[in-house]
Amino acid sequence: MTDPTETPERSFESNPSVCPFCGVGCAIEYAGGGSATGVEGPVNARGEICPKGAAAFDVVDHEDRLTEPLVRHDGRFVTAPWAEALDRVASGIGRVVDEHGPDAVQFFASSNCTNEENYVLQKLARVLGTNNVDNCARLCHASTVAAMSDRLGAGAMTNTLDDLREADCVFVNGANPAEQHPVAFRSYLLPAVRDGATLVHVDPRANDTTEAADVHLPLRPGTDIEVANAIAAVLIEEDLVDEAFLAERTTGFDELREHLAAVDVGENAEAAGVDPEAIREAARAYGEADRAAIVTGMGTSQHRCGTDNVHALLNLALLTGNVGRPGTGVNPLRGQNNVQGASDVGGLPGVLPGYEPVTDPDARERVAAEWGVEPPSDPGLTEVEATHRFGDEVRAAVVFGENPAVTEPNASAVASAFEELDFCVVIDLFETATAAHADVVLPGSSWAEKAGTVTNTDRRVMRMRPNADLPGNARRDFEILSALGRRLTDRPAEFEYDGPAAAFEELTRVAPIYEGMSYEGIGDGYQRWPFSADDGAGTDVLHAAEFLTGERTAPLAVVDPVPPADDLAAGELTLTTGRVLQHFNSGALSRRSDRLMAMRGEDALQIHPDDAADRGIEDGDRVTVSNDRGTVEVAAAVTPAVREGVTFCTFHYAEPLANALTGDALDPEAGIPEFKHSAVTVEPAAVGEAGGESDAADAD
């Protein structure tokens, strides 16, 4: 790697762009002195940002940045010219395709990169001949998308952040927006609460969101359906349903009513470990509100029954007519800055750009008219399915801006599986834990060095603009992916673009929901999908007159509880994972920020005082957390904020590598892993066998 002291002086300039962290989409720009600052934008109208946004520039000029391509020689990385590195990728992937077919290659799209980049990546996969392309939506909201798409016709927020200020009740289920989406919480949700809206918080932990709540349901992880069904039963029992809406806009009410008549609220409350009166209070707050909005997160979705969890929440909205109006709806908050867009543009194995199924011949034909080749008709592998088949059906991987060796469940096994590949290429900013397993690592571009668009959590497509040139011989991701398309496919002309704007223009012709959008139309603001080319405007509130299925009605669904995959043996506790304000995802970016590390330099395992006392653990003690998948060591944080029987830590740190403990049981509909419920043994470190994750994680 080039010595940073030998790198020519870089140039920086301030241009409005989009924060690279969560899906809220705050506008930021370079502020001089190696810092970022918030600027007035479509979402953060006053230029407000969170600590991560303020630290967004810390990684841009970081000394660990990759500035030269790396190729593996005699088991170690050496620098190489771009031509040699790209030739190695072409020969490595080409050899696998020739010997095993295109379905032997898995493409990992990036939820942290632009629409244009992800569009080119998924196009590359499909022109090559495979639908094996996925992004980290698989690990966060795939179940939400599956349930909402099935019932309503679209898997995104039904409403906008702006109109959520009009809610009379905000029902937050399995999310902690005060820490995970702080600008959305403080600028949109909290004003509604201060104006009199009731906040209901369904979460195993008391956290910053809970502090603003009127009702807290600290359910046991894995009992979301029991809670939602009990609330639905109270809505019917106390005549809090919207009879007119049910008659005009839903089907299946009689069947659901019969099913819920057998639900015992007290029994469900006991199963979930919550007060039955609190369930009734939550039901009344939601059912009596003129406008009630559900806000949901990964605490709902990351279960082997995540799709069913969301179906149970959708029942609440449909029973009460809280769909199709401002201040209502079901609103998943997206985790990464472009996890919505990466999915919109086709970075999923079962859908083409715009969410049209790969099995739809008309959709494939329309895409073929643009690309000159028809995409495959069989859905590809999810990224979790693919890692399970490394070395078998899957022999090569193209990993773009993601770190699956850390973020996948049962991460130690996944890291080992990468060693079974015949070839792996990683495009990234740093030598991550995943890059440690690569044959070629290509140095890409950070948020501040690229142009393009991203799509935020409430469907706003916004532009990113460069704030810096590239370090050393790093290249822009768009150029790298276009070059790979020209080398890996037999249609090189399809990857000759005059910059990202040309790719976006092509996207608007391929994805119906983006039709009519343009860079000029977006300008310094945004355009929201679904966009009407005829009207020149997007749709704010979905499902007003009809659902995006094209139907006037949506079905109600009978949902039965599903037990977690891990049974708890005597003495075991439940581990649930999540985020904190100061860090992000695998930590590959946020842990390289001195200011964020100063705020929270290490992880801790939250454990209830009674559970700690039973195990002879005091606050600050080192403990081992283990199961048959792995063992990690971490400091204990003894606190009543987490319910008895449950422990909590983040997945932001290489040590402890929490995902070494999480299981790979998958939701049968969405393929999402069960991150939120893992059976573990917790012991003082002196008693347990101290251990940890693989050395590769230290490279993250």
Side-chain angles (χ1 to χ4, degrees):
M1 196 179 343
T2 301
D3 185 334
T5 63
E6 298 176 358
T7 304
E9 190 70 25
R10 300 178 65 191
S11 60
F12 306 96
E13 62 178 344
S14 298
N15 288 307
S17 191
V18 181
C19 179
F21 290 109
C22 82
V24 172
C26 297
I28 62 172
E29 67 179 18
Y30 179 61
S35 294
T37 187
V39 294
E40 294 180 5
V43 180
N44 57 330
R46 301 184 305 278
E48 63 270 38
I49 53 174
C50 77
K52 290 192 292 292
F57 215 85
D58 292 2
V59 299
V60 173
D61 207 27
H62 196 279
E63 62 182 3
D64 290 347
R65 281 289 299 273
L66 291 167
T67 59
E68 299 282 350
L70 303 177
V71 299
R72 194 171 292 281
H73 180 72
D74 291 336
R76 64 185 186 89
F77 283 132
V78 297
T79 60
W82 271 99
E84 178 186 339
L86 291 172
D87 284 345
R88 285 212 186 190
V89 175
S91 62
I93 299 294
R95 185 169 57 252
V96 168
V97 172
D98 290 343
E99 295 178 3
H100 304 284
D103 283 336
V105 185
Q106 181 71 25
F107 290 81
F108 291 77
S110 178
S111 303
N112 203 225
C113 294
T114 67
N115 288 322
E116 293 80 0
E117 292 157 356
N118 283 293
Y119 175 75
V120 170
L121 180 75
Q122 63 83 37
K123 179 180 176 180
L124 190 169
R126 288 170 167 132
V127 172
L128 188 67
T130 183
N131 284 317
N132 286 354
V133 58
D134 204 3
N135 75 86
C136 86
R138 185 67 48 199
L139 307 179
C140 55
H141 271 297
S143 52
T144 313
V145 173
M148 293 180 67
S149 297
D150 178 45
R151 302 267 291 281
L152 308 182
M157 280 181 64
T158 60
N159 289 58
T160 72
L161 290 171
D162 301 274
D163 79 64
L164 292 184
R165 292 186 179 125
E166 301 180 32
D168 300 307
C169 175
V170 181
F171 189 100
V172 180
N173 197 98
N176 178 15
E179 293 186 67
Q180 297 161 357
H181 302 84
V183 172
F185 182 76
R186 296 189 179 281
S187 298
Y188 296 94
L189 300 181
L190 198 56
V193 174
R194 288 171 175 163
D195 285 344
T198 302
L199 177 61
V200 177
H201 194 208
V202 183
D203 196 289
R205 295 190 306 136
N207 48 49
D208 286 358
T209 300
T210 317
E211 290 184 9
D214 300 280
V215 182
H216 180 213
L217 299 176
L219 79 174
R220 292 189 178 96
T223 60
D224 295 78
I225 295 171
E226 285 89 338
V227 170
N229 279 354
I231 290 173
V234 174
L235 291 174
I236 293 175
E237 174 190 324
E238 300 194 7
D239 202 21
L240 297 174
V241 299
D242 187 329
E243 297 283 358
F245 186 90
L246 287 168
E248 296 173 10
R249 301 293 307 277
T250 73
T251 60
F253 177 51
D254 288 342
E255 184 180 1
L256 178 61
R257 177 169 51 191
E258 181 180 352
H259 177 75
L260 293 175
V263 169
D264 185 303
V265 174
E267 289 181 2
N268 279 29
E270 183 177 1
V274 298
D275 181 358
E277 188 51 40
I279 284 182
R280 293 185 178 278
E281 186 180 356
R284 292 169 188 139
Y286 184 80
E288 292 173 356
D290 291 333
R291 297 183 179 91
I294 292 173
V295 173
T296 184
M298 293 186 292
T300 307
S301 60
Q302 288 181 329
H303 293 269
R304 73 162 177 169
C305 58
T307 302
D308 284 344
N309 287 348
V310 179
H311 277 306
L313 287 179
L314 290 172
N315 282 343
L316 304 184
L318 293 171
L319 283 169
T320 56
N322 278 300
V323 179
R325 296 180 290 124
T328 68
V330 178
N331 302 282
L333 294 176
R334 306 310 297 264
Q336 294 211 52
N337 74 326
N338 200 34
V339 66
Q340 184 66 58
S343 301
D344 292 349
V345 305
L348 296 170
V351 295
L352 298 168
Y355 298 103
E356 296 195 305
V358 298
T359 55
D360 183 344
D362 293 335
R364 295 198 310 274
E365 184 177 346
R366 193 187 65 257
V367 171
E370 185 66 44
W371 294 353
V373 60
E374 185 171 304
S377 58
D378 293 330
L381 297 174
T382 71
E383 60 179 68
V384 183
E385 291 171 335
T387 59
H388 291 179
R389 302 180 192 187
F390 278 4
D392 191 5
E393 297 107 302
V394 179
R395 310 302 292 265
V398 178
V399 183
F400 170 46
E402 293 290 348
N403 195 11
V406 171
T407 57
E408 297 285 318
N410 202 356
S412 297
V414 171
S416 297
F418 266 94
E419 292 298 314
E420 301 301 315
L421 292 173
D422 295 346
F423 188 82
C424 177
V425 55
V426 170
I427 305 166
D428 216 316
L429 306 179
F430 303 103
E431 288 189 59
T432 64
T434 303
H437 303 281
D439 297 281
V440 177
V441 182
L442 302 176
S445 48
S446 75
W447 69 272
E449 297 146 3
K450 60 179 64 181
T453 60
V454 294
T455 307
N456 84 329
T457 193
D458 69 350
R459 301 175 276 113
R460 302 183 215 218
V461 181
M462 300 177 290
R463 288 182 61 181
M464 300 186 73
R465 296 171 177 84
N467 281 251
D469 58 11
L470 290 158
N473 283 322
R475 290 187 179 179
R476 289 186 172 84
D477 294 330
F478 184 83
E479 296 170 3
I480 296 172
L481 295 166
S482 298
L484 291 179
R486 293 191 294 271
R487 286 172 177 261
L488 291 173
T489 72
D490 59 3
R491 304 190 68 85
E494 285 298 326
F495 296 91
E496 292 284 357
Y497 291 105
D498 186 19
F504 186 79
E505 184 179 348
E506 180 178 309
L507 169 64
T508 65
R509 298 193 298 269
V510 173
I513 58 176
Y514 280 38
E515 182 181 359
M517 290 186 182
S518 68
Y519 273 25
E520 294 74 21
I522 295 169
D524 292 331
Y526 67 93
Q527 290 178 323
R528 176 180 276 120
W529 73 259
F531 193 80
S532 169
D534 294 335
D535 298 337
T539 304
D540 290 345
V541 179
L542 302 180
H543 318 307
E546 64 178 26
F547 296 96
L548 263 65
T549 55
E551 302 292 332
R552 172 74 175 160
T553 60
L556 292 156
V558 170
V559 185
D560 288 314
V562 178
D566 276 9
D567 292 325
L568 289 179
E572 288 187 323
L573 301 173
T574 298
L575 171 68
T576 191
T577 63
R579 292 180 172 144
V580 291
L581 172 66
Q582 301 87 353
H583 286 288
F584 191 71
N585 279 17
S586 73
L589 300 181
S590 61
R591 283 191 286 107
R592 285 184 166 90
S593 166
D594 289 342
R595 72 185 81 190
L596 294 177
M597 287 298 286
M599 295 173 68
R600 196 178 195 276
E602 61 182 10
D603 206 1
L605 181 82
Q606 290 189 346
I607 183 171
H608 190 274
D610 291 347
D611 293 323
D614 289 345
R615 291 158 178 79
I617 296 168
E618 296 186 0
D619 189 53
D621 285 354
R622 302 294 295 180
V623 297
T624 56
V625 189
S626 60
N627 56 25
D628 58 4
R629 294 180 286 266
T631 299
V632 301
E633 184 177 313
V634 63
V638 180
T639 172
V642 64
R643 64 166 297 132
E644 189 174 358
V646 176
T647 62
F648 170 88
C649 71
T650 80
F651 43 80
H652 302 314
Y653 295 82
E655 297 181 11
L657 180 59
N659 279 332
L661 303 169
T662 54
D664 41 23
L666 303 179
D667 179 291
E669 297 297 321
I672 195 170
E674 186 156 75
F675 286 121
K676 297 306 187 199
H677 186 287
S678 302
V680 296
T681 298
V682 181
E683 300 173 303
V687 175
E689 295 182 4
E693 50 289 323
S694 66
D695 292 340
D698 295 335
D700 171 48

